Amino acid sequence: MKKMRIFLLATYVFLNQIVTFGQQAADASIIINADQGKYTIDKHIYGHFAEHLGRCIYGGFYVGENNQKIPNTNGVRNDVVQALKELKIPNLRWPGGCFADTYHWKDGIGPKKDRPTMVNQWWGGVTEDNSFGTHDFLNMCELLGAEPYLSVNVGSGTVKEVADWVQYVNHDGVSPMANLRKENGREKPWNVKYWGMGNEAWGCGGNMTAEYYANIYRQYATFVSDWTNSKQIQRIASGASDADYHWTEVMMRDIPKNLIEGIALHHYSVINWGNKGSATDFSEDQYFSTMRQALLMDELIIKHKNIMDRYDPDKRVDLIVDEWGGWYDVEPGTNGAFLYQQNTMRDAVLAGATLNIFNNHADRVKMANLAQTINVLQAVILTDEEKLILTPTYHVMKMYNVHQDAALLPLDVKNIMYKNGNRELPAISASASKDKNGAIHISLVNVDPTKSNTVNLTMHGAALANISGSILSSPKLQDHNTFDNPNKIKPATFRGFTKKGDQLMVTMPPFSVVVLELK
Ligand code: AHR
């Protein structure tokens, strides 16, 4: 039986890796315009998000300084730091999410034994002991080599509280808050650049109208200053949910351009908020619906961008997709408010296709944050006490990190369709970039779960030479890594391509993610 399974697996791998050129015409075709790179793919598109939610911070990032069982640095797990550094994590958003608009940062500084507790009202009503606070987060970012992105409390805080936080973390001279920081053991400021002015102000951040929030934003943004006028601070307005174009219109219309550097957008790939479905036990119909939601990101960005272009043709204000990802039912037996879900090949495809969309909108999308890094929603890492596993989404983000800060190469795509009954979606997702050393990377996703697809690549302005590739694939869409089988899904060398004249024929297995490198 075991031998049979190995034989079937080997046959699957073989069939999916061989080049079918000669038997089958190219399905999709893509021209890569290597001589037309105009925009840089900001590395911050590959950002992450850590909220005080479930086991993201506690048990995920942070296990406490006194933990003898799990190796840590000042309470932060060493295995997490290593995995995220290997991912080249560029930034981390904190402390929420909905939690941010309940958070009072002064509760999280000073000796831990003296810190007050609070109730985490959005995420299960659990007691938050504030043992992970500003110093813990910002020092952790230094350890990770990631830029911190702080979301301030607009919903239930005060302007003074926010102004004090900025002074506490950024002021280099003598000031009440800088002095307090020094008393708490940190001499030099952290120089935090990214500041989110509340979160989901239309919902958990205060149920505000766009017009009301735009005024509040103006007030808060006025007091988020770096005192030097060096324009180092990026103030990001709480943005629209999905297709709420009115929200973006009002932000762009009512906020003076000298007070705003970015506007957010949140979009989750959810089949149905009332019936999200299992993360691991899903049908092809459900897969299709998830992917339709994921690919909707392109339309959302185009339409929000169109509004921004009308008010800001010079593209001074960035679009920041600071929450995105797949959202399913929690794993059976886990706390419903903790949003712990598994991560399958569906999530790998979702991540690959979404990152391609962000890359292709590099002119305006300058940052994005996958929700959320560890143990929450579409996590890249799952932990169970001292055990840690990397999810398929982690592997995709690592394969794609070659695009960070590379020049986006425009594509001309002639796509084919993935059909599901009378519904259809583009089958191939792609983006390409040229890095500082001249290497070209092409990321391709075969969204179609029913068949292999071939893409015929043509390069304009560069040679199709010295090609190598990696692939993430698995026999079943529902496959995932577990604590018992942590390496079931991991990248492998990809050989499914062949050159013919000035073209490259690339054949990808169903629901797979491929990154090619041309040097
Ligand atoms: O990521 C989980 C939650 O989703 C965030 O707290 C909130 O901003 C969004 O609704």
Side-chain angles (χ1 to χ4, degrees), residues 49 51 53 93 96-99 122-123 199-200 202 204 266 268 273 323 327 339 371-372 376-377:
F49 171 31
E51 180 166 11
L53 194 179
R93 178 174 182 246
C98 295
F99 180 79
W122 295 112
W123 307 118
N199 170 74
E200 299 194 347
W202 40 265
C204 63
H266 288 182
Y268 285 99
W273 283 106
E323 287 186 33
W327 193 324
L339 310 186
Q372 299 192 6
V376 171
L377 299 177

Side-chain angles (χ1 to χ4, degrees), residues 6 131 269:
I6 292 170
S131 56
S269 300

Side-chain angles (χ1 to χ4, degrees), residues 267 269 289-298 350 353-354 357:
H267 172 60
S269 300
S289 300
T290 304
M291 286 313 299
R292 187 173 54 186
Q293 286 303 310
L295 296 178
L296 183 64
M297 184 69 89
D298 193 44
L350 191 165
T354 305
I357 293 170

